[in-house]
Amino acid sequence: MSSNAITLIILFLNISLFPAISALNQEGLALLSWLSTFNSSFSATSSFSSWDPTNKNPCKWDFIKCSKDGFVSEIRVTSISLGGSFPTQLFSFGHLTTLVIANANLTGEIPASVGNLSSLSTLDLSFNALTGTIPAEIGKLSDLQWLSLNSNSLHGGIPAEIGNCSKLRELELYDNQLSGNIPIEIGQLGDLETFRAGGNQDIRGEIPKQISNCKSLVFLGLADTGISGEIPSSIGELQNLQTLSVYTANLTGHIPLEIRNCSSLEDLFLYENQLSGIIPYELGSFKSLRRVLLWQNNLSGGIPESLGNCTSLTVIDFSLNSLEGELPLTLRNLVVLEELLLSDNNISGEIPSFIGNFSRLKQVELDNNKFSGQIPSVIGQLRELTLFFAWQNELHGSIPAELSNCEKLEAIDLSHNFLTGSIPNSLFHLENLTQLLLISNQLSGQIPPDIGSCSSLTRLRLGSNKFTGQIPSEIGLLSSLSFLELSDNLLSGEIPHEIGNCNQLEMLDLHRNQLQGAIHSSLEFLLGLNVLDLSGNRISGRIPENLGKLTSLNKLIISGNLITGLIPKSLGLCGDLQLLDISNNRITGSIPEEIGQLQGLDILLNLSWNSLTGPIPDSLSNLSKLSTLDLSHNQLTGTLRVLGSLDNLVSLDVSCNSFSGPVPDTKFFRDLPATAFAVIRIQGATLRRNFDEEGEMEWTFTPFQKLNFSINDIVTKLTDSNIVGKGCSGVVYRVETPTKQVIAVKKLWPIKNDETPEIDLFSAEVQTLGSIRHKNIVRLLDFGLAKLVNPSSQSSKDTAMVAGSYGYIAPEYGYSLRITEKSDVYSYGVMLFEVLTGMEPTDHRIPEGCHIVTWVSSEIRERKKEFTSILDQQLLLQCGTRTPEMLQVLGVALLCVNPSPEERPTMKDVTAMLKEIRHENDDLDKPNFLHKGVTNPKAAVHCSSFSTSREPLIEPSSSSSS
């Protein structure tokens, strides 16, 4: 204990024991009594060293002020960790007008006796750890003007008695755990200037219309609450209102036209609600409007021309709505604009040249719209610009070299457009540039050596273009680089060894180029690498032993190359690996026992299409989390006994080997057809020969969704060089259509007319396609839906099943590189939606430009239509008797796309549910079943282990329902 603390305690004890000796008045003694309750930390005690017990009164003490009569009138203690509870010692202070104990670690409840401090005009207990409720007795404080109880853990409702504090000017209750409705008595506070109750998620109900009586209100904050209903039209009576902040709530309806009367409005924050209708023209009457944030609502129509009258605007954020039309010319008047954020709408037209007039502009986000034309060169005049996003539009032409005049640029994303030409060398001389993303364009030329000058780069993604030449060795100068993606180009030569100097790399993706040479040993220095994808190149040599030093790897793909030699034992040291694919190479030798050390391997182990020999090592029994194993097309021998302990397998291919002995006696193996082990091997060899003679073959073409290509565009591309995966039912190819759309095509093994198809309905065979789009990691899950599309389909013709290529990504990819089976489950659910609805994930037919997951979930939740209206009408015509089965599968898909990965079922459970649906429906009278609704709880996917709902996930709507 410090000497100051000891002195204070001794003095206090002396005064307590011998009060007659002390001249200190009662208020001083009460304050010392409070002081004795403080924690013993140095900061708490040393801060009060001026509290001298020998004084006559405490008026000269720190934190204390007195009235002219010598009574304590103010106590202000902030940012000192006092600890303890509310100071009940102060209840006798009859002249106290100001009590501020903020950020002081107070605990416990606010006592009801606080109502006895009748002279209080200011009570500030903010930023503490107070619990309990707000006592109704606060309503007794008739002189109270400022009440700040924010940033505590208070619960219960806002007491109606607050309306009795008729002089209240500031009421701050935000960031607590308050609940209930806002009391209508709030309308009695005619002098109220600030009312902030945001951050209380259990506050519910509507904004009371009586708020209009608070004529002095300047700030209304109810953000991050459960506030619902419409914004009351009476809001227009608040002519002094400067800030309306009700974001991340449940507001519905239109923005009321009466808002035009809020003539003092400066900040309008209504984002993350469910507001609909148009952005009112009346917004243009706000001459003082500085920031308008309406993103993530259901707003439609165009951007009003009147907005050009708001010449004080600094921030416009209308992202994530359904706005359309072109940018009005009147916006050129907004010369002080700093942020223009219009992402995720349907805005069209060219990027206007008047954008060059916005000399203060710092951020421009135009992505996910329908902007066309060229990027105007005047954008180079924006010397304050730090961020420029225009990805997923219809822009063409070249990247203007003038963009490099924006010397403060930190991030550029122009991905998914139709840009041509080369990258201006000058872009790589931007000293602050950290992100350059140009994925999926038609850019060409070489990657300039100037890239080495951009030392601040952390993310460089140039995938899916037409870049040629070698990867410049200067890339090794980018010591801060964490993401490097150059996939899907025409790059040649060797991977430069200097890339090993980029020791901050987390992802290195060079797949689908024409790279040659060996994998350089310098990669061993990339100790933080999570993803290494070198697949689909012409890389030769051996797999370096020192790759085992990359212990952070969770995805290693080097398939589709010319790699020889053995699988290095050192890969067993990569303990975080979840996916290992070294298929389609020329690797020899046995599978090393050390592979069994990869107990985190849960997504895929693919060693197929090599020349591996020997038995499956016993250690593979340790891979208990593994869901997909492909050992096909090797020269392996021995038994499959080891695989019997892999309880999480949902896909297995061991065909085209020389295995013998009994099949493991587990449910997974019992459910596999015999052809998965023998006949397939013969067919596989025959099929490879037939690939060279496909002009003579007949085809049945079954697209999973409406796609704009023909069978002739597909069959000519089914070559060995385009193989990306194989399974017991066929081979999966990566095909680029004439319109540059990248798709996955599965060619099923031929079957005879008298045979049962090898793929059972909804079998959960998994095919890993790798990154076939611009997202970091994509896994496309293959499943047999031939019978759903055509239930009677049994043919000797070859069958190609086509899956779309956009929109499968799970939401967690936005913030994590970690790939899990649950991310694959999400992708599987999206594909189920595609099959059942006949729509692509971002189909133009989906209302309001929603993603298919959002649209289906909304239709189910709101029950606006019969659920059958969600289904593809062509599918209903062809397979109407299977409607109940389709609806049940829709329920499974809903489980798969749960936003929380932890709440999604495993693929094994998905398989079980889908098989159960098939089993339960096979014996039902389909027409009667459709009209009666789903009665079987299993068939209705009534499964509480996957959903908190106790109701069936989906069932046909009755024809008589309203």
Side-chain angles (χ1 to χ4, degrees):
M1 185 179 297
S2 68
S3 58
N4 285 336
I6 294 172
T7 301
L8 286 171
I9 291 173
I10 292 173
L11 287 171
F12 176 73
L13 288 173
N14 287 336
I15 293 165
S16 300
L17 294 172
F18 307 104
I21 301 175
S22 174
L24 187 63
N25 65 13
Q26 289 299 316
E27 288 185 334
L29 291 173
L31 288 170
L32 287 179
S33 175
W34 177 37
L35 175 63
S36 69
T37 66
F38 294 177
N39 68 46
S40 58
S41 68
F42 175 79
S43 61
T45 53
S46 62
S47 299
F48 294 86
S49 58
S50 66
W51 287 26
D52 187 349
T54 64
N55 296 148
K56 292 183 178 180
N57 59 52
C59 295
K60 294 183 179 180
W61 293 0
D62 291 340
F63 317 115
I64 306 297
K65 285 187 178 180
C66 292
S67 65
K68 294 180 180 179
D69 299 328
F71 294 103
V72 174
S73 59
E74 294 187 19
I75 302 175
R76 295 180 181 270
V77 182
T78 61
S79 301
I80 300 174
S81 182
L82 305 180
S85 57
F86 184 94
T88 57
Q89 295 88 344
L90 309 182
F91 286 151
S92 61
F93 286 37
H95 297 80
L96 189 64
T97 60
T98 299
L99 177 59
V100 177
I101 310 175
N103 193 23
N105 197 29
L106 287 186
T107 58
E109 300 185 2
I110 302 172
S113 303
V114 72
N116 296 336
L117 297 172
S118 56
S119 297
L120 273 185
S121 63
T122 299
L123 177 59
D124 184 352
L125 303 176
S126 60
F127 297 98
N128 283 296
L130 295 170
T131 56
T133 62
I134 301 173
E137 286 76 8
I138 278 184
K140 296 179 180 180
L141 304 178
S142 57
D143 290 332
L144 197 63
Q145 297 181 44
W146 290 275
L147 176 59
S148 298
L149 303 178
N150 56 281
S151 307
N152 281 285
S153 297
L154 301 171
H155 61 264
I158 301 173
E161 290 80 1
I162 203 80
N164 297 330
C165 302
S166 56
K167 296 181 180 179
L168 203 59
R169 295 171 59 186
E170 184 171 295
L171 177 57
E172 295 186 323
L173 307 175
Y174 61 89
D175 290 347
N176 278 287
Q177 299 169 19
L178 300 175
S179 59
N181 292 3
I182 297 172
I184 60 175
E185 287 79 5
I186 205 83
Q188 299 173 19
L189 305 178
D191 294 334
L192 193 64
E193 298 175 2
T194 299
F195 176 38
R196 301 183 64 185
N200 293 287
Q201 297 182 2
D202 291 328
I203 286 181
R204 61 182 183 273
E206 300 183 357
I207 301 172
K209 60 183 180 181
Q210 291 83 356
I211 198 82
S212 62
N213 297 328
C214 304
K215 304 298 184 185
S216 301
L217 201 61
V218 173
F219 192 114
L220 176 58
L222 297 171
D224 196 17
T225 63
I227 288 291
S228 59
E230 300 186 2
I231 301 172
S233 58
S234 60
I235 199 86
E237 299 180 35
L238 303 178
Q239 297 184 15
N240 293 305
L241 191 64
Q242 296 178 10
T243 298
L244 177 58
S245 179
V246 195
Y247 59 85
T248 316
N250 296 312
L251 291 176
T252 55
H254 296 187
I255 300 173
L257 301 183
E258 290 81 0
I259 201 171
R260 65 177 177 268
N261 297 321
C262 300
S263 54
S264 301
L265 201 62
E266 297 180 1
D267 294 317
L268 180 60
F269 302 151
L270 298 176
Y271 58 88
E272 287 193 306
N273 278 289
Q274 300 168 36
L275 296 170
S276 57
I278 63 172
I279 298 174
Y281 187 88
E282 286 73 11
L283 236 57
S285 63
F286 299 144
K287 301 298 183 182
S288 302
L289 192 63
R290 297 185 301 115
R291 296 181 292 177
V292 53
L293 278 65
L294 304 178
W295 56 272
Q296 196 163 327
N297 278 286
N298 299 314
L299 299 171
S300 56
I303 297 174
E305 293 184 357
S306 63
L307 205 61
N309 299 328
C310 305
T311 54
S312 298
L313 267 174
T314 60
V315 179
I316 296 175
D317 192 345
F318 295 159
S319 304
L320 291 155
N321 281 288
S322 299
L323 302 177
E324 55 190 12
E326 300 185 7
L327 297 183
L329 290 175
T330 55
L331 296 187
R332 63 188 172 192
N333 300 326
L334 308 181
V335 292
V336 298
L337 199 64
E338 296 179 4
E339 297 181 24
L340 178 61
L341 313 175
L342 303 174
S343 303
D344 290 274
N345 282 287
N346 295 308
I347 301 172
S348 56
E350 297 188 357
I351 300 174
S353 58
F354 63 70
I355 198 172
N357 299 332
F358 301 158
S359 58
R360 301 184 187 182
L361 205 57
K362 297 178 181 178
Q363 295 187 33
V364 178
E365 296 185 9
L366 308 177
D367 53 276
N368 284 279
N369 278 288
K370 296 179 180 178
F371 284 105
S372 56
Q374 301 190 23
I375 300 172
S377 59
V378 293
I379 203 166
Q381 300 174 20
L382 306 179
R383 300 305 175 92
E384 300 297 318
L385 193 64
T386 62
L387 184 149
F388 179 37
F389 285 178
W391 56 279
Q392 197 68 54
N393 278 289
E394 300 169 9
L395 299 172
H396 61 267
S398 59
I399 300 172
E402 290 84 353
L403 195 58
S404 60
N405 294 332
C406 305
E407 297 176 352
K408 295 184 179 180
L409 262 176
E410 298 175 6
I412 303 173
D413 192 345
L414 304 175
S415 303
H416 295 276
N417 282 289
F418 303 100
L419 299 174
T420 55
S422 58
I423 303 177
N425 293 4
S426 54
L427 280 187
F428 293 113
H429 294 275
L430 291 170
E431 296 181 355
N432 299 303
L433 191 64
T434 61
Q435 299 183 39
L436 178 60
L437 288 79
L438 304 174
I439 303 164
S440 293
N441 280 285
Q442 299 173 22
L443 298 169
S444 57
Q446 299 189 9
I447 300 172
D450 302 66
I451 194 171
S453 301
C454 199
S455 57
S456 57
L457 264 183
T458 60
R459 297 169 70 92
L460 177 63
R461 307 194 64 183
L462 308 179
S464 299
N465 280 287
K466 298 178 180 179
F467 291 113
T468 56
Q470 298 187 355
I471 300 173
S473 60
E474 287 80 1
I475 209 161
L477 299 174
L478 306 182
S479 57
S480 300
L481 200 63
S482 61
F483 274 59
L484 175 59
E485 184 200 343
L486 306 177
S487 62
D488 260 319
N489 281 290
L490 302 171
L491 297 171
S492 57
E494 297 188 5
I495 301 172
H497 68 86
E498 289 86 354
I499 212 165
N501 297 328
C502 304
N503 53 21
Q504 298 300 312
L505 270 180
E506 297 176 13
M507 184 180 82
L508 176 58
D509 188 350
L510 306 178
H511 82 270
R512 279 189 56 84
N513 279 286
Q514 299 172 13
L515 299 172
Q516 300 173 340
I519 301 174
H520 203 277
S521 60
S522 65
L523 295 186
E524 70 175 296
F525 300 113
L526 307 181
L527 299 179
L529 201 63
N530 291 324
V531 175
L532 176 60
D533 191 344
L534 306 178
S535 60
N537 282 287
R538 300 172 182 172
I539 297 171
S540 56
R542 296 171 174 263
I543 302 174
E545 281 281 346
N546 59 12
L547 283 190
K549 295 183 179 180
L550 305 183
T551 55
S552 296
L553 270 183
N554 60 61
K555 180 180 181 182
L556 175 59
I557 304 178
I558 51 179
S559 58
N561 282 290
L562 305 173
I563 297 171
T564 57
L566 307 177
I567 300 175
K569 297 179 180 180
S570 61
L571 289 184
L573 301 175
C574 301
D576 286 343
L577 267 181
Q578 296 178 275
L579 187 153
L580 175 60
D581 188 350
I582 58 177
S583 61
N584 284 278
N585 279 290
R586 300 175 179 177
I587 296 171
T588 56
S590 60
I591 302 172
E593 287 276 351
E594 287 75 8
I595 294 296
Q597 298 174 14
L598 303 175
Q599 297 186 32
L601 203 64
D602 57 357
I603 297 176
L604 171 72
L605 174 60
N606 191 349
L607 308 179
S608 64
W609 294 89
N610 281 290
S611 298
L612 296 172
T613 57
I616 300 174
D618 290 343
S619 63
L620 258 60
S621 63
N622 297 326
L623 306 182
S624 58
K625 299 178 182 178
L626 189 63
S627 61
T628 302
L629 175 62
D630 193 344
L631 303 176
S632 64
H633 296 88
N634 281 289
Q635 300 165 27
L636 298 171
T637 57
T639 72
L640 302 179
R641 175 185 54 81
V642 173
L643 305 184
S645 58
L646 303 186
D647 294 333
N648 281 306
L649 274 184
V650 294
S651 174
L652 173 68
D653 193 344
V654 293
S655 60
C656 298
N657 282 286
S658 298
F659 293 119
S660 60
V663 174
D665 187 19
T666 67
K667 186 178 186 303
F668 174 79
F669 283 91
R670 286 194 296 269
D671 290 344
L672 285 177
T675 52
F677 306 102
V679 179
I680 286 183
R681 180 172 57 205
I682 300 169
Q683 290 177 334
T686 304
L687 191 59
R688 286 181 63 86
R689 290 195 298 272
N690 287 342
F691 283 166
D692 298 326
E693 306 168 3
E694 33 191 23
E696 304 175 5
M697 301 177 70
E698 295 183 88
W699 287 85
T700 296
F701 188 63
T702 308
F704 281 0
Q705 61 195 97
K706 307 287 190 298
L707 296 171
N708 54 345
F709 50 79
S710 68
I711 186 171
N712 293 328
D713 298 327
I714 299 301
V715 296
T716 57
K717 307 282 182 68
L718 303 187
T719 61
D720 284 2
S721 61
N722 288 333
I723 293 175
V724 290
K726 303 179 181 68
C728 66
S729 62
V731 184
V732 181
Y733 300 82
R734 181 193 186 279
V735 172
E736 184 170 322
T737 70
T739 60
K740 304 300 181 183
Q741 183 179 16
V742 178
I743 61 172
V745 179
K746 182 166 188 180
K747 183 176 181 182
L748 300 179
W749 303 125
I751 53 176
K752 299 178 181 178
N753 288 327
D754 57 350
E755 287 183 340
T756 302
E758 293 174 16
I759 288 286
D760 197 8
L761 181 63
F762 298 123
S763 69
E765 177 185 357
V766 181
Q767 295 291 354
T768 302
L769 301 190
S771 300
I772 62 171
R773 298 195 319 280
H774 69 285
K775 298 295 184 182
N776 297 348
I777 301 161
V778 177
R779 285 178 49 75
L780 191 57
L781 303 179
D782 167 56
F783 45 91
L785 282 167
K787 287 189 177 179
L788 179 59
V789 178
N790 185 355
S792 61
S793 173
Q794 291 190 16
S795 170
S796 61
K797 301 175 183 179
D798 282 355
T799 301
M801 286 181 160
V802 182
S805 63
Y806 182 80
Y808 299 98
I809 202 74
E812 58 265 26
Y813 283 132
Y815 55 84
S816 174
L817 269 179
R818 193 74 172 170
I819 52 177
T820 69
E821 183 208 13
K822 294 301 183 69
S823 305
D824 296 338
V825 171
Y826 183 95
S827 302
Y828 194 91
V830 175
M831 286 197 65
L832 286 177
F833 281 162
E834 288 189 75
V835 173
L836 294 169
T837 65
M839 294 186 183
E840 296 183 15
T842 54
D843 201 291
H844 66 89
R845 293 169 293 170
I846 298 177
E848 302 178 349
C850 292
H851 188 277
I852 193 170
V853 172
T854 306
W855 174 65
V856 172
S857 301
S858 176
E859 290 292 313
I860 298 299
R861 182 174 61 251
E862 296 178 9
R863 292 176 177 264
K864 290 181 179 178
K865 307 174 183 177
E866 291 189 359
F867 294 133
T868 51
S869 66
I870 299 173
L871 301 177
D872 183 0
Q873 298 306 301
Q874 292 296 321
L875 198 60
L876 287 174
L877 288 174
Q878 295 179 21
C879 319
T881 59
R882 287 192 178 269
T883 303
E885 190 169 346
M886 298 178 203
L887 292 174
Q888 295 156 34
V889 173
L890 192 60
V892 175
L894 287 168
L895 296 176
C896 294
V897 297
N898 192 304
S900 173
E902 294 79 12
E903 295 295 323
R904 297 172 202 154
T906 64
M907 275 305 303
K908 189 174 183 180
D909 290 324
V910 172
T911 306
M913 287 188 286
L914 293 175
K915 287 183 177 179
E916 182 67 26
I917 291 171
R918 175 77 185 280
H919 173 73
E920 293 291 341
N921 284 287
D922 275 346
D923 299 326
L924 291 171
D925 181 2
K926 302 297 191 303
N928 292 336
F929 181 65
L930 175 60
H931 292 291
K932 292 178 181 177
V934 178
T935 57
N936 185 289
K938 292 183 180 178
V941 201
H942 179 84
C943 186
S944 60
S945 64
F946 304 128
S947 173
T948 55
S949 172
R950 296 297 176 181
E951 299 297 323
L953 290 174
I954 187 77
E955 61 184 16
S957 298
S958 170
S959 58
S960 61
S961 61
S962 57

